[in-house]
Amino acid sequence: MPKVTEEHRLARRAQIVAAARRCVIEEGFHKTTMADVIRESGLSAGAVYGYFKSKEEIVGAIAEDALSTIDELFGTILATDDPLTPLAALEATIDHVVEIAQRPGGDVTRVAVQAWAEALRDDSIRDIARGKYCRLRDHFLEIARRAQADGTVDAGVDPEDVAQVMFSMIPGFVLQRLLIGDITPATYKAGLRALLRS
Amino acid sequence: MPKVTEEHRLARRAQIVAAARRCVIEEGFHKTTMADVIRESGLSAGAVYGYFKSKEEIVGAIAEDALSTIDELFGTILATDDPLTPLAALEATIDHVVEIAQRPGGDVTRVAVQAWAEALRDDSIRDIARGKYCRLRDHFLEIARRAQADGTVDAGVDPEDVAQVMFSMIPGFVLQRLLIGDITPATYKAGLRALLRS
């Protein structure tokens, strides 16, 4: 396939994902239909269905966009040779989540909250959410193992248990940011420093 | 009002709240209508509207039921004269959340996740959620202040920041329990003990 066509394909795909994100943020996942996404994207039905067969697939793509940047972030965090603490990893993750949320095109954390609710009633969304969140949690698992090797976390604890608690900090932050609104990376990181061993 | 009538009134109210909880768990908040709640409750429309004017009011009542038991729990936690740690308070809260979730009549944490999503698009639900969660977080604020007085948390940190992080542990646990399913109070408490200062 010539390069210009591949670029065109990726731009079209991004256009559809962005349209779907706007629909879900405005209407909620449940009320959003493929017809809404087609209308919002300004493309033909045939064009949209050429990329995504269902809104479940599009939601998967929205989550994938956000998670792929988080994968990169953890690559960077783990690349250091210095002793790694859960605190340092969480501080970097919180900053990154807010950075992603503030990108133009709509707050992806709002889509996440919609997906949580939908996952409780729709097995295909639940499978997507579970897969994405297990992948995110696996990054914390890697941090926990590394911190145990470095001696900053007790080596006698199951690192999976440590990863469960570290993971919690992300939805916990997102929810307070969206529902209560008085939370910032600065206040949260101050709280983390006070509570976590370092 | 004679006592038997007040008892009758409370039983009727509980019957409506239980019916609404089942509807929201099964259909989601958005799809649930007052007509669904009336049908599920087995009462007349007039009877149901005599207690609740809207489904927003009923969702407020469902949340109130769950939170009032948490208020009691924090009363008990704070009643001790021993030095109080955030860890001990969180361990007790996690046990209590699972106990509430497993009560007959439907898992109230599923209703909470539906309410989070709905709160992003409906200001009246957002106000209810914000009020309830600020009240829950205020309990953690009290724990943080007490822990600072006891010397188990650095007194130089804003206790509101500490409360934000403590609060996060609850939705973080609930979400992993519902979406991933591999989390228990035992695994989570082991993770908390490994990560938190004590």
Side-chain angles (χ1 to χ4, degrees), chain A residues 109 113 116 169-181 183, chain B residues 112-113 116-117 120 133 167 170-172:
Chain A
T109 66
V113 175
W116 301 343
M169 310 294 187
I170 311 307
F173 175 84
V174 162
L175 204 62
Q176 289 175 82
R177 180 173 168 272
L178 294 177
L179 293 192
I180 308 183
I183 197 168
Chain B
V113 176
W116 301 342
L120 299 187
Y133 285 137
F167 175 91
I170 311 305

Side-chain angles (χ1 to χ4, degrees), chain A residues 190-191 193-196, chain B residues 84-87 143-159 161-163 166 196-198:
Chain A
R193 284 193 295 273
L195 279 174
L196 266 58
Chain B
L84 197 60
T85 62
L87 176 61
I143 301 284
R145 286 193 176 123
R146 169 76 176 272
Q148 288 182 315
D150 290 344
T152 61
V153 166
D154 177 4
V157 179
D158 188 336
D161 299 349
V162 177
M166 291 183 74
L196 266 57
R197 297 175 195 272
S198 57

Side-chain angles (χ1 to χ4, degrees), chain A residues 54-134:
Chain A
S54 65
K55 62 176 181 171
E56 285 75 14
E57 282 193 8
I58 307 183
V59 160
I62 294 171
E64 190 56 42
D65 274 6
L67 266 190
S68 64
T69 73
I70 289 184
D71 291 344
E72 283 169 35
L73 170 75
F74 276 91
T76 312
I77 294 172
L78 285 160
T80 177
D81 284 331
D82 294 334
L84 197 60
T85 62
L87 176 62
L90 283 167
E91 289 187 315
T93 312
I94 291 297
D95 283 334
H96 190 72
V97 165
V98 172
E99 193 268 305
I100 296 173
Q102 289 174 337
R103 283 185 191 170
D107 184 342
V108 73
T109 66
R110 289 180 169 264
V111 180
V113 175
Q114 298 291 337
W116 301 343
E118 198 60 20
L120 299 187
R121 284 174 303 126
D122 181 319
D123 287 344
S124 63
I125 295 293
R126 184 179 163 146
D127 289 345
I128 292 170
R130 186 186 277 157
K132 304 290 181 198
Y133 286 136
C134 284

Side-chain angles (χ1 to χ4, degrees), chain A residues 24-31 86-87 90 109-111 113-121 126 129-130 133-134 137 152-154 157-158 160-169 171-173 175-184 186-198, chain B residues 24-31 86-87 90 109-111 113-121 126 129-130 133-134 137 152-154 157-158 160-169 171-173 175-184 186-198:
Chain A
V24 171
I25 290 170
E26 212 158 298
E27 290 297 326
F29 183 86
H30 205 82
K31 280 178 89 176
L87 176 62
L90 283 167
T109 66
R110 289 180 169 264
V111 180
V113 175
Q114 298 291 337
W116 301 343
E118 198 60 20
L120 299 187
R121 284 174 303 126
R126 184 179 163 146
R130 186 186 277 157
Y133 286 136
C134 284
R137 210 175 57 182
T152 60
V153 166
D154 177 3
V157 179
D158 187 336
E160 303 265 7
D161 299 349
V162 177
Q164 288 177 349
V165 176
M166 292 183 73
F167 175 90
S168 287
M169 310 294 187
F173 175 84
L175 204 62
Q176 289 175 82
R177 180 173 168 272
L178 294 177
L179 293 192
I180 308 183
D182 59 354
I183 197 168
T184 68
T187 63
Y188 202 64
K189 290 192 286 183
L192 286 170
R193 284 193 295 273
L195 279 174
L196 266 58
R197 297 175 195 271
S198 57
Chain B
V24 172
I25 290 171
E26 211 158 299
E27 290 298 324
F29 184 87
H30 204 82
K31 280 179 88 178
L87 176 61
L90 282 167
T109 66
R110 289 180 169 264
V111 179
V113 176
Q114 298 292 334
W116 301 342
E118 197 61 19
L120 299 187
R121 284 172 304 126
R126 185 180 162 145
R130 186 186 277 156
Y133 285 137
C134 284
R137 209 174 58 181
T152 61
V153 166
D154 177 4
V157 179
D158 188 336
E160 304 264 6
D161 299 349
V162 177
Q164 288 177 350
V165 176
M166 291 183 74
F167 175 91
S168 289
M169 309 293 187
F173 175 85
L175 204 61
Q176 289 175 82
R177 179 173 168 271
L178 294 176
L179 293 192
I180 308 183
D182 59 354
I183 198 168
T184 67
T187 63
Y188 203 63
K189 290 192 286 184
L192 285 170
R193 284 192 296 272
L195 280 173
L196 266 57
R197 297 175 195 272
S198 57

